[in-house]
Amino acid sequence: MKPMGTIPAEFSHAPLRIAGETAEHWADVAGDTPLFVYDFGVVAARIARFRAAFSGVDLHYAIKANPFGPLLDAIAPLVDGLDVASGGEVTWATRRKTPNAISFAGPGKRDDELELAIRAGITINLESAREAERALRIGERTGFTPRLAIRVNPELELRGSGMRMGGRASPFGIDADQAAAVARQVIDTGANWRGLHIYAGSQALGGLAIIEAQRATLHLAGDLAEAIGVTPPLVNLGGGFGIPYFPGEQPLDEMAIGNALAEALDDRAHSLENTRFAIELGRWLVGECGVYLTRIVDRKESRGETFLVTDGGMNHQLAASGNLGTVVKRNYPVAIASAEADAATETVSVVGPLCTPLDRLADRVTLPVAAVGDLVAVFMAGAYGLSASPTAFLGHPAPCELLVGITGS
Ligand SMILES: Cc1ncc(COP(=O)(O)O)c(C=O)c1O
């Protein structure tokens, strides 16, 4: 038997209810299984917690975490900005937020994507000196003044983060020692100077590491602003707030991080006196709102082990199968949706319908005894779920997505 992660408190009662309704109810609404259900109440509560902890700091939502349209519609009015990473995300964001609240980061922006962003009036976080030149040229050719910020590749790293994006050679951002020179070029050429974007990593669960990274980021921003000689209107301090997917992981204490950041902001460099600050978050806002529901189509014994074979798997929820950025397979929290709290249990593996041993949603976990036709719930499915999964692999139908928990839904 292997342990699994902790079911988020909002869903920890048995039988499972999502926004007050059973999993079967949502499967009926969807008309079929598998499906993703996103409880917007969980997202709204997260946003409220951010506001309580980080007063005066802007909150940006990184669309890449979950670009489901109804979720974007609901979240956009509650955050200060949307961060996008492709031309497609530019289009989705501009339908929902004014251009000056949208920023575009990511390596490999094509000329047509840069032009789309420049014409729309959204801020481009420049990832290289060459990208800066291309953006300036497009501005000149089209007659639109580009809104430009520099994404800095900092010396600092976000200790303990699942994905480190600073402190090393990187396709992301302009190395810190070259950033001021590129910023000067951008400013001298007449672009609309928007400031700095410093993103050190993602999926960090160490509060102290985040506090340390934010302090170092502020110092770096202060030094760069002084070297550039023009106040950055905005410094995006990155994010990287993680969520506890696996056994033994603890949630972040955002209040402690917010208090430490407030102190650091009070002591910030003179060069940042009139600067606004933002934190950009994806999974911390939406990761725990999502439940992936998939129906058991077979139950089989093989050489002493029991397999629950479901109608969906890594083709929809790659991350839970351990194939998205994890080295060792560990179990996401899962449940048998209809089971009572005192149901008898057994040790089973939950596997999807794909012809690969990689398609395993849970490995030898203890779950209530389940039958063919029951629904398995896989939690932590709100971020990097469907849009980060190989949906075309083996040609199964796309799952339905439902946004629930909004007044009236
Ligand atoms: C620049 C940038 N912003 C935001 C994010 C969102 O990260 P998360 O969903 O972990 O908050 C990422 C993730 O890779 C990123 O690269």
Side-chain angles (χ1 to χ4, degrees):
M1 195 269 284
K2 293 187 176 175
M4 61 182 177
T6 305
I7 297 173
E10 294 85 349
F11 306 121
S12 64
H13 32 254
L16 172 64
R17 286 193 168 257
I18 305 169
E21 300 289 350
T22 63
E24 284 296 350
H25 168 83
W26 294 121
D28 275 353
V29 171
D32 203 355
T33 56
L35 67 151
F36 284 83
V37 187
Y38 309 120
D39 181 351
F40 194 71
V42 177
V43 181
R46 279 300 160 101
I47 294 172
R49 275 168 56 182
F50 180 93
R51 297 297 188 197
F54 296 91
S55 152
V57 176
D58 288 353
L59 173 61
H60 291 190
Y61 174 55
I63 285 186
K64 60 169 77 83
N66 189 330
F68 181 49
L71 179 64
L72 292 183
D73 289 341
I75 216 172
L78 303 185
V79 296
D80 306 298
L82 295 175
D83 288 317
V84 302
S86 69
E89 289 190 358
V90 167
T91 306
W92 301 335
T94 49
R95 286 189 199 132
R96 296 170 169 101
K97 206 82 181 153
T98 63
N100 59 13
I102 302 171
S103 56
F104 182 7
K109 299 182 196 78
R110 294 156 36 126
D111 278 358
D112 56 350
E113 293 176 303
L114 289 173
E115 183 166 339
L116 180 70
I118 289 168
R119 285 182 182 275
I122 75 173
T123 297
I124 296 169
N125 292 317
L126 297 166
E127 306 275 351
S128 73
R130 181 161 285 123
E131 190 172 274
E133 281 165 22
R134 287 165 53 221
L136 290 167
R137 266 206 311 275
I138 290 168
E140 225 173 83
R141 174 168 59 73
T142 58
F144 285 82
T145 305
R147 293 167 60 88
L148 301 180
I150 301 286
R151 178 168 178 187
V152 183
N153 174 23
E155 290 296 334
L156 64 111
E157 60 174 33
L158 181 48
R159 281 187 299 112
S161 54
M163 244 188 292
R164 288 185 204 175
M165 300 173 87
R168 57 187 62 196
S170 169
F172 311 113
I174 296 171
D175 289 352
D177 59 351
Q178 295 159 31
V182 180
R184 278 278 15 141
Q185 186 201 352
V186 158
I187 293 164
D188 292 346
T189 316
N192 185 340
W193 171 234
R194 302 316 307 155
L196 301 168
H197 176 239
I198 305 175
Y199 193 88
S202 183
Q203 179 52 17
L205 283 170
L208 287 177
I210 293 178
I211 289 170
E212 197 179 86
Q214 287 181 338
R215 283 211 187 105
T217 301
L218 262 180
H219 273 124
L220 172 60
D223 290 349
L224 285 173
E226 204 170 316
I228 295 164
V230 182
T231 300
L234 181 79
V235 170
N236 181 325
L237 297 166
F241 293 14
I243 52 176
Y245 291 101
F246 300 118
E249 292 183 338
Q250 299 299 325
L252 283 174
D253 175 355
E254 75 278 0
M255 264 305 178
I257 300 170
N259 289 339
L261 180 59
E263 267 178 37
L265 284 171
D266 282 346
D267 291 343
R268 70 185 181 275
H270 187 63
S271 54
L272 299 176
E273 220 161 56
N274 296 314
T275 296
R276 281 203 72 76
F277 296 90
I279 290 179
E280 65 175 279
L281 298 175
R283 77 183 81 221
W284 190 82
L285 293 178
V286 298
E288 291 179 44
C289 84
V291 185
Y292 177 60
L293 296 173
T294 178
R295 203 175 289 288
I296 299 170
V297 291
D298 197 7
R299 183 192 154 95
K300 65 177 279 192
E301 313 290 329
S302 171
R303 302 186 188 212
E305 288 190 30
T306 302
F307 293 87
L308 304 179
V309 188
T310 53
D311 61 0
M314 66 179 278
N315 51 330
H316 301 155
Q317 184 46 7
L318 182 69
S321 72
N323 293 296
L324 185 67
T326 46
V327 180
V328 180
K329 160 88 184 129
R330 288 178 292 169
N331 287 316
Y332 271 41
V334 297
I336 303 299
S338 59
E340 301 286 343
D342 58 357
T345 60
E346 61 179 349
T347 298
V348 293
S349 289
V350 180
V351 298
L354 305 190
C355 306
T356 161
L358 299 178
D359 192 10
R360 187 174 284 240
L361 292 173
D363 187 29
R364 283 165 280 171
V365 289
T366 300
L367 288 178
V369 176
V372 167
D374 287 345
L375 287 173
V376 174
V378 181
F379 300 96
M380 316 300 280
Y384 308 105
L386 184 57
S387 66
S389 298
T391 47
F393 189 36
L394 292 203
H396 291 280
C400 181
E401 293 178 281
L402 296 176
L403 183 73
V404 305
I406 294 192
T407 319
S409 78

